[in-house]
């Protein structure tokens, strides 16, 4: 009974975590940098959904199409504003880590100005009452948000594996030098990947506000750790790995929460440490690339 | 991303400016100057309460300066950025508290036990040094949060007091704690002076620049990094212990606040990592600014701090030390000429 | 350049550096000295006349700002009020009240330095803590060290009062967590509830309440069938609700901060789970926030601690009664509705004012003796003030309130304070 419920919840949360984390992974795959502002961008998407629903009375999921284009533009601008300059510094990876930490602080402060410190949450019955899945009554919000993550991930895969630009993106991920030698404009591909990564983060925000029961300005700094864990489990730079990582993370987290709630919050951190120390390339990682 | 060759030359010139002829042996006078840095600033800070008697504010400043130097030791000399540096601070604070509560020690012994605990934590976490870059930074953060959640877990209440907080008021002695803090700052600065001028420090920088070449040249890479890691953990553990001693009544979230890592890193970067005095001046300036903004217009605090980080990384990645170096070389070029003419 | 020249030049450079270092630090120390002496001057001239300085902290941003700011506004309201009446009276002499407040941004380390600033630089006469236990903690030892009485409005942490008699702290606007939930326990027992589930946040505030409830129930032979701590940042209770549901309890008590309570009540609804009795601490404290984030359907027939503004005490012997305060406060704040913490801040002011009125002099121990003289006699809009020699406040007990879909929260227990009868078991919607 409890086991079945935890299993279903774990899978739904896993799909959501995969969607929420995938932008971070794309950025890392292409640019080798960890966007510490990722979580705050997710929270911005959540606030858009919140405003649409509580102020305009619209369906909060409309936030997904509404945020995509501005978020993409913001990502591309952020890329051109920071990355070329960062590449001049001695230790690009560290410099980018610190820089995006600064960006995350600014975004968090802006969110506080706009929405205050209180929790912003939406009605848990927005999508109706609990849904019966295999005899378990699962909240409709979880079902809707978990299942919506699937088409989002499919869109990303179609882009990466079927479109010209997507293939160029994957070529850059595999080897920047070879891609450049093959005539790919690596800078433009990187800028676009940055934009898409940010857009995916913002789009997942509309689901985050339901899956987490609400957001506040400091939610972002916790989300980025979760996303990083998911991505590390699956292996950095591998989009399919993120789905595996998300599902594994969702299941482990839900099961500890069910059977040992007071220790549940330590799980993400331990999981990250164990995966990094035992198999630093992640579950689907190829040995070729060193961390 | 520019080609590696371009990035390489950039790094080489910056490194050249940062460490003018690292191989040259400093003369006796130079050593005297270093010794003066180590002694003078802590002594001045130690005497400041006689003219400005909010000793606790000064103590927190000194604690942050020590932490900034600790970040300098590990990040400035090995390139490992410890986002979870607060873990050692918290471990030191709780080691100190457990010593006072369970072993009934005095403050001095308790602080030393706190340092032992943080060092033990650093030994356990040595495998993290196998990770590089962002992996290390975030893994160290995860480790510090895991330690925090264990300490704050209610099932360990009989030992750690869990989430209910500790009370060390029995051993409260702010004057002695302040003396120790000043001494600790001298020690931390001395460690950095040593790293700047010793063969060991040189080998650390060689490892940072290129671990493979360094190991071929006969440097034990793992050992060199490990020593720097433990040294930075001891500094943070002692700082945490002293801080716990004067804070006296506190909760786990007080001493494991990620803000503590952030401040230490930002102070060190603002001053300039790899330099002796950069983190100290960076810390003094930013901490004063923090107290000032905090009191006058705090709602903009996080915004201003975030923006400062962004601007710093984009336009002044070498921190104040790089400005000072540029100014100094300019001064010397012009000043030197004038001197010769005269 | 020959090497010898280089090193000589460098040592010259070092000396120059040393000189400038000394200069900078000295200037800094000098500036600090000037600043501090200037402040000292102004305070001493003030208090030699007839000014009494009240010093406190508030959190203008961060985790605690939502609670700290209203508490601070309540204290400010009291200051304006009392100055409008010519100030406070000590030993027959009137003093104008001057409020000095710094912003600690919810950071305990900053709070420690600012508390010390209030005592060492501003030399305040009356020392008031910020909201809650985490931000009050750094003041406890500082107050003792400076022999200064700390008026602690809402920091109810057990560790503050655990060292025996201590004249330098006193809780003003909350009962200590060891007695606080007792009324709720009595209520559960009076309804013959035997199957109780308790979920609590692993922090001092919630953990000590949970322990008190467990102890109270067990004393009457009721052992909670579920007693579980969860991380204070938990925002998703879905799986825990399923676990609890499987045990089919009669009563579920979730003790969290306001964000936890919101998430818990929302998750109950999204899971479609109904329990006959649900109690959370915050809904009646912050009615506006809960109306916005949880709504009537989620709050219907749940229980909460009955605090102002739900608890409306007008039968007072000091300061304003609830209705008068509510009217005056909202007039002073452009019609804003008040919450529990506004009242807590104002009540702290009343306890200070009456303690001073009963003090022989402005000496700290005389002020504390004044406070002790009020114990069991002072009755304000938060109830009867009772204090012991550890500084724990044992009065101002919180009744139990229940939410009615048409009428909001009403006090339902104990009978002498109740405005209506409780509905138990709660009807399923």
């Amino acid at each position: 009974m409890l086991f079945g419920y935890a299993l279903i919840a774990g899978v739904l949360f896993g799909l959501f975590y995969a969607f929420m984390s995938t932008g971070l992974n794309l950025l890392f795959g292409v640019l080798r940098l960890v966007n510490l502002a990722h979580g705050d961008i997710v929270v911005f998407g959540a606030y858009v959904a919140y405003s649409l629903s509580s102020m305009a009375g619209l369906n909060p999921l409309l936030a997904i199409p509404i945020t995509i284009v501005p978020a993409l533009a913001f990502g591309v601008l952020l890329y051109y504003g920071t990355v070329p300059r960062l590449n001049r510094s001695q230790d690009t990876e560290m410099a980018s880590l610190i820089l995006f930490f600064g960006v995350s602080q600014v975004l968090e402060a802006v969110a506080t100005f706009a929405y205050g410190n209180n929790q912003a949450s939406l009605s848990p019955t927005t999508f109706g009452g609990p849904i019966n899945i295999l005899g378990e009554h699962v909240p409709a919000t979880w079902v809707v948000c978990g299942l919506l993550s699937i088409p989002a991930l499919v869109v990303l895969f179609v882009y990466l594996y079927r479109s010209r630009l997507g293939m160029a993106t994957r070529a850059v991920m595999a080897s920047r030098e070879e891609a450049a030698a093959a005539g790919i404009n690596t800078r433009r591909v990187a800028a676009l990947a940055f934009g898409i990564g940010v857009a995916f983060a913002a789009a997942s925000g509309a689901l985050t506000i339901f899956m987490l029961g609400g957001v506040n300005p400091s939610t972002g700094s916790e989300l980025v750790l979760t996303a990083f864990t998911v991505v590390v489990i699956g292996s950095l730079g591998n989009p399919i790995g993120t789905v595996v990582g998300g599902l594994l993370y969702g299941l482990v987290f839900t099961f500890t929460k069910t059977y040992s709630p007071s220790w549940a919050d330590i799980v993400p951190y331990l999981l990250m440490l164990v995966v990094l120390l035992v198999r630093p390339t992640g579950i689907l990682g190829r040995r070729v690339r060193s961390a | 991303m520019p080609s590696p060759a371009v990035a390489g030359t950039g790094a080489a010139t910056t490194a050249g400016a940062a460490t003018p002829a690292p191989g040259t042996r400093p003369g006796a006078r130079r050593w005297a100057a270093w010794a003066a840095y180590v002694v003078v600033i802590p002594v001045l800070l130690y005497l400041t309460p006689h003219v400005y008697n909010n000793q606790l504010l000064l103590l927190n400043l000194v604690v942050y300066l020590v932490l900034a130097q600790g970040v300098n030791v590990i990040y400035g000399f090995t390139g490992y950025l410890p986002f979870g540096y607060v873990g050692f601070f918290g471990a030191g604070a709780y080691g100190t508290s457990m010593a006072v509560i369970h072993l009934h020690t005095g403050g001095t012994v308790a602080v030393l036990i706190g340092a032992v605990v943080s060092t033990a934590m650093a030994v356990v976490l040595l495998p993290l040094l196998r990770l590089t870059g962002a992996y290390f930074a975030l893994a160290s953060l995860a480790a510090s949060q895991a330690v925090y959640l264990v300490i704050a877990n209610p099932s360990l209440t009989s030992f750690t007091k869990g989430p209910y907080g500790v009370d060390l008021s029995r051993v409260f002695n702010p004057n002695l704690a302040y003396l120790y803090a000043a001494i600790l700052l001298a020690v931390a600065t001395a460690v950095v002076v040593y790293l700047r001028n010793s063969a060991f420090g040189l080998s650390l920088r060689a490892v940072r620049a290129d671990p493979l070449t360094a190991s071929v040249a006969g440097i034990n890479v793992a050992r060199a990094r490990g020593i720097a890691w433990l040294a930075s953990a001891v500094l943070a553990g002692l700082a945490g212990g002293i801080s716990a001693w004067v804070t006296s009544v506190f909760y786990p979230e007080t001493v494991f606040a990620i803000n503590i890592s952030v401040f230490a890193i930002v102070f060190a970067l603002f001053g300039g990592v790899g330099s002796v005095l950069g983190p100290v001046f960076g810390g003094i300036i930013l901490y004063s600014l923090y107290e000032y903004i905090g009191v006058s217009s705090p709602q903009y605090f996080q915004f201003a701090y975030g923006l400062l980080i962004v601007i710093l990384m984009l336009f002044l990645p070498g921190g104040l030390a790089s400005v000072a170096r540029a100014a100094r070389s300019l001064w010397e070029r012009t000043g030197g000429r004038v001197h010769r003419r005269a | 350049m020959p090497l010898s020249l280089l090193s000589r030049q460098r040592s010259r450079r070092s000396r120059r550096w040393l000189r400038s270092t000394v200069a900078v630090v000295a200037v800094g120390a000098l500036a600090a000295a000037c600043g501090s002496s200037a402040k000292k001057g102004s305070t001493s001239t003030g208090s030699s006349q007839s000014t009494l300085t009240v010093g406190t902290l508030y959190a203008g941003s961060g985790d605690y700002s939502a609670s700290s700011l209203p508490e601070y506004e309540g204290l400010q309201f009291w200051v304006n009020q009392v100055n409008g009446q010519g100030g406070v009276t000590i030993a027959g002499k009137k003093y104008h009240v001057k409020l000095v407040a710094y912003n600690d941004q919810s950071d305990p380390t900053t709070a420690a330095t600012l508390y010390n600033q209030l005592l060492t630089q501003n030399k305040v006469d009356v020392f008031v803590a910020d909201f809650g236990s985490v931000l009050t903690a750094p003041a406890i030892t500082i107050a003792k060290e400076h022999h200064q009485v700390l008026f602690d409005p809402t920091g109810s942490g057990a560790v503050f009062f655990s060292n025996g008699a201590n004249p330098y702290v006193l809780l003003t606007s909350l009962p200590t967590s060891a007695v606080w939930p007792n009324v709720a326990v009595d209520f559960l027992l009076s309804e013959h509830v035997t199957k109780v589930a308790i979920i609590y946040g692993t922090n001092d505030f919630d953990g000590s309440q949970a322990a008190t409830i467990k102890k109270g129930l067990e004393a009457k032979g009721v052992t909670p069938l579920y007693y579980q701590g969860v991380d204070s940042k938990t925002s998703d209770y879905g799986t825990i609700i399923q676990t609890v549901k499987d045990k089919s309890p009669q009563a579920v008590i979730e003790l969290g901060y306001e964000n936890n309570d919101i998430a818990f009540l929302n998750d109950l609804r999204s899971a479609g789970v109904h329990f006959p009795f649900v109690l959370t601490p915050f809904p009646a404290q912050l009615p506006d926030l809960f109306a916005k984030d949880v709504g009537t359907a989620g709050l219907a027939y749940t229980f909460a601690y009955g605090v102002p503004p739900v608890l409306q005490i007008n039968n007072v012997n000091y300061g304003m009664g609830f209705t008068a305060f509510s009217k005056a406060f909202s007039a002073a704040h452009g019609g804003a509705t008040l919450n529990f913490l506004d009242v807590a801040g104002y009540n702290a002011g009343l306890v200070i004012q009456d303690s001073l009125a009963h003090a022989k002099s402005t000496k700290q121990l005389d002020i504390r003796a004044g406070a002790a003289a009020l114990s069991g006699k002072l009755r304000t809009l938060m109830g009867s003030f009772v204090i012991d020699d550890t500084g724990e406040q044992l009065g101002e007990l919180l009744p139990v309130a229940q939410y009615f879909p048409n009428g909001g929260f009403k006090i339902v227990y104990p009978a002498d304070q109740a405005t209506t009868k409780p509905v138990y078991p709660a009807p399923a919607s």
Side-chain angles (χ1 to χ4, degrees), chain B residues 33 37 44 51-54 56 60 149 154 163 167 169 172 248-249 251 253-254 290 294 298 301 328 331-332, chain C residues 3 10 13-14 16-17 25 36 103 105 108 110 112-113 116-117 121 133-134 137 141-142 145 163 202 204 231:
Chain B
Y37 288 151
L44 281 178
V51 286
Y52 174 73
N53 65 354
N54 187 348
L56 202 51
N60 278 328
L149 289 171
D167 177 0
S169 53
F172 191 65
S248 190
V249 178
Y251 294 95
E253 59 253 58
T254 308
Y290 171 74
F301 174 76
R328 206 191 314 163
W331 162 275
E332 234 136 53
Chain C
L3 265 180
R10 200 173 301 129
R13 209 189 290 162
S14 319
R16 206 176 294 139
W17 255 107
V25 176
S36 67
N103 183 329
Q105 303 162 58
T110 306
T113 67
N116 211 40
Q117 185 81 5
Q121 306 304 309
S133 297
V134 172
T141 307
I142 299 174
E145 179 72 7
N163 281 341
T202 51
D204 180 58
D231 189 88

Side-chain angles (χ1 to χ4, degrees), chain C residues 103-118:
Chain C
N103 183 329
D104 57 40
Q105 303 162 58
S106 301
D107 177 38
T109 312
T110 306
T113 67
L114 294 174
Y115 281 129
N116 211 40
Q117 185 81 5
L118 289 172

Side-chain angles (χ1 to χ4, degrees), chain A residues 33-230:
Chain A
L33 61 82
V34 175
N35 174 15
L36 282 185
H38 180 84
D40 299 285
I41 294 163
V42 174
V43 169
F44 256 90
Y47 276 123
V48 172
Y50 177 74
S51 304
L52 283 177
S53 175
S54 64
M55 292 168 197
L58 296 169
N59 186 329
L61 293 182
L62 277 176
I64 298 178
I66 288 175
T67 49
I68 282 183
V69 175
L72 192 95
F74 174 71
V76 172
L77 283 178
L78 195 60
Y79 173 87
Y80 282 115
T82 58
V83 177
R85 244 201 125 77
L86 276 179
N87 281 333
R88 273 185 265 157
S89 85
Q90 220 176 321
D91 186 347
T92 309
E93 194 176 357
M94 285 301 99
S96 67
L97 205 61
I98 298 163
L99 179 118
F100 284 104
F101 175 76
V103 173
S104 114
Q105 295 297 294
V106 171
L107 290 178
E108 216 171 278
V110 171
T112 312
F113 294 149
Y115 292 93
N117 279 306
N118 280 327
Q119 188 93 339
S121 63
L122 292 174
S123 166
T125 50
T126 304
F127 311 120
I131 293 171
N132 188 331
I133 302 177
L134 308 172
E136 303 290 344
H137 294 274
V138 185
T141 46
W142 294 5
V143 178
V144 170
C145 295
L147 294 182
L148 264 183
S149 305
I150 298 176
L153 290 165
V154 168
V155 166
L156 183 69
F157 289 128
V158 169
Y159 168 73
L160 282 177
Y161 289 86
R162 289 282 174 272
S163 77
R164 269 183 80 84
L165 261 175
M167 298 217 217
T169 309
R170 285 196 302 128
V172 175
M173 280 172 156
S175 164
R176 202 186 181 88
E177 286 75 34
E178 283 171 33
I184 294 173
N185 183 341
T186 56
R187 183 173 275 205
R188 194 182 299 160
V189 166
L192 191 64
F194 204 112
I196 293 174
V198 168
F200 263 75
S204 70
L207 310 184
T208 304
I209 194 165
F210 290 110
M211 294 305 267
L212 297 189
V215 295
N216 61 62
S218 60
T219 307
S221 44
E222 287 151 41
L223 280 178
V224 75
L225 271 183
T226 307
F228 186 77
T229 309
V230 165

Side-chain angles (χ1 to χ4, degrees), chain B residues 27-337:
Chain B
R29 279 172 156 194
R30 184 135 185 257
W31 274 114
W34 287 129
Y37 288 151
V38 168
V39 173
V40 169
I41 295 173
V43 166
L44 281 178
L45 281 165
Y46 181 67
L47 295 176
T48 312
H50 293 290
V51 286
Y52 174 73
N53 65 354
N54 187 348
Q55 200 181 38
L56 202 51
L57 187 144
L58 293 165
L59 187 133
N60 278 328
L61 167 66
V62 175
V63 162
Y64 273 122
L65 296 183
V66 171
L67 291 176
Q69 287 291 32
V71 168
N72 193 12
V73 168
I74 182 71
Y75 178 54
F77 290 86
T78 71
Y80 281 89
L81 181 67
F83 264 143
Y85 197 51
V86 64
F88 297 136
F89 181 86
Y94 262 83
T96 301
S97 310
M98 294 306 96
V100 170
I101 292 168
H102 297 299
L103 305 176
H104 310 288
T105 66
T108 310
V109 175
V111 168
L112 293 174
I113 291 176
V116 171
V117 171
S118 71
T119 313
M121 178 178 159
V123 171
V124 173
L125 294 181
L126 272 175
L128 290 186
L129 293 176
R130 279 161 41 194
L131 308 170
T132 56
Y135 288 87
F136 172 82
L138 290 163
S140 78
L141 181 59
S144 74
Q145 290 304 292
V147 171
Y148 158 61
L149 289 171
V150 169
I151 286 176
N153 196 288
S155 51
L156 298 178
T157 299
S158 58
F159 183 63
T160 63
K161 307 283 172 194
Y164 306 110
V166 296
D167 177 0
L168 312 181
S169 53
R170 183 177 65 76
V171 296
F172 191 65
N173 188 344
N175 293 328
L176 190 58
Y178 192 61
L179 173 65
Y180 288 171
I183 294 172
L184 183 59
L185 179 60
V187 171
T189 312
V191 170
V192 178
V193 166
Y194 170 74
L195 290 180
R196 285 275 298 186
N197 296 289
S198 66
F200 176 67
L202 190 64
S203 65
L204 273 183
R205 273 175 293 173
V207 170
R208 181 182 182 173
D210 184 353
L212 202 65
T213 315
S215 74
V216 171
I219 296 171
N220 185 337
V221 174
R223 186 172 151 269
R225 281 174 180 162
I227 291 173
W229 175 241
L230 293 182
S232 72
V234 172
L235 291 176
L238 289 168
I242 292 172
S243 183
W245 190 10
V246 290
T247 310
S248 190
V249 178
F250 59 89
Y251 294 95
E253 59 253 58
T254 308
V255 292
F256 282 97
I258 295 177
N259 257 350
I260 295 173
S261 285
V262 171
F263 282 163
I265 291 170
V266 172
F267 290 173
L269 285 174
F270 180 66
V273 288
S275 69
V276 173
L277 293 178
V280 173
F281 282 109
I284 291 177
I285 292 169
L286 284 190
Y287 189 78
S288 313
L289 198 67
Y290 171 74
E291 292 293 329
Y292 177 75
I293 305 180
V295 170
S296 59
S297 50
Q299 67 275 31
Y300 299 113
F301 174 76
Q302 193 178 31
F303 187 79
Y305 239 64
L307 211 57
L308 177 75
I309 295 173
V310 172
I311 291 168
L312 201 61
M313 291 324 290
L314 286 180
F315 302 106
L316 197 63
L320 290 180
S322 65
V323 178
R325 269 193 295 270
R328 206 191 314 163
S329 71
L330 189 73
W331 162 275
E332 234 136 53
R333 253 179 286 141
T334 54
R337 220 174 289 137

Side-chain angles (χ1 to χ4, degrees), chain C residues 244-424:
Chain C
V244 172
K245 191 183 103 183
D246 275 11
K247 302 189 184 298
S248 25
Q250 294 164 302
V252 178
I253 299 171
E254 184 277 327
L255 302 160
Y257 290 129
E258 60 267 39
N259 287 351
N260 305 106
D261 293 359
I262 290 169
F264 178 77
L265 292 169
N266 278 336
D267 285 347
L268 272 183
R269 263 183 87 211
S270 67
V273 172
H274 175 78
F275 295 116
F277 178 110
V278 171
L279 181 132
T280 55
F282 278 95
Q285 284 194 28
L286 305 165
D288 292 348
L289 180 67
F290 277 76
K292 178 170 75 78
D293 275 10
V294 179
T296 303
L299 288 169
Y301 300 107
T302 66
F303 295 87
Y305 294 132
V307 297
V310 173
L311 175 65
Q312 311 194 338
I313 297 178
N314 286 308
N315 168 24
V316 298
N317 63 17
Y318 201 74
M320 295 182 181
F322 177 83
T323 311
F325 172 71
S326 174
K327 220 176 269 169
F329 185 84
S330 96
H333 288 83
T337 53
L338 83 178
N339 66 29
F340 166 69
L341 291 151
D342 296 314
V343 182
Y346 173 65
N347 188 64
L350 292 181
V351 171
I352 292 166
Q353 187 181 348
D354 207 16
S355 299
L356 296 173
H358 284 76
K360 280 187 298 192
S361 75
T362 54
K363 285 203 190 104
Q364 291 295 315
L365 284 179
D366 287 341
I367 295 174
R368 181 62 178 82
L374 311 177
S375 183
K377 302 200 179 77
L378 175 67
R379 192 171 157 77
T380 67
L381 73 174
M382 293 201 78
S384 176
F385 175 81
V386 180
I387 194 135
D388 70 9
D389 62 0
T390 65
E392 283 188 314
Q393 210 283 122
L394 304 166
E396 299 175 7
L397 289 176
L398 305 178
V400 178
Q402 186 173 22
Y403 189 89
F404 294 90
N406 47 3
F409 274 106
K410 289 190 171 128
I411 305 292
V412 294
Y413 187 88
D416 59 336
Q417 286 180 295
T419 53
T420 186
K421 276 193 182 350
V423 177
Y424 172 82

Side-chain angles (χ1 to χ4, degrees), chain C residues 198-245:
Chain C
I198 299 170
I199 304 154
Y200 63 96
T202 51
N203 56 69
D204 180 58
F205 172 75
D206 295 312
S208 17
Q209 287 177 61
T212 305
I213 295 178
K214 184 165 179 259
K215 213 169 101 193
L217 289 173
E218 281 172 350
K220 297 284 191 255
V222 176
T223 309
L225 46 80
Y226 186 79
Y227 184 75
Q228 183 64 59
V230 299
D231 189 88
S232 312
K233 283 183 293 194
T234 302
S235 61
D236 148 39
Y237 288 86
T239 49
I240 290 162
I241 288 170
Q242 289 303 314
T243 314
V244 172
K245 191 183 103 183

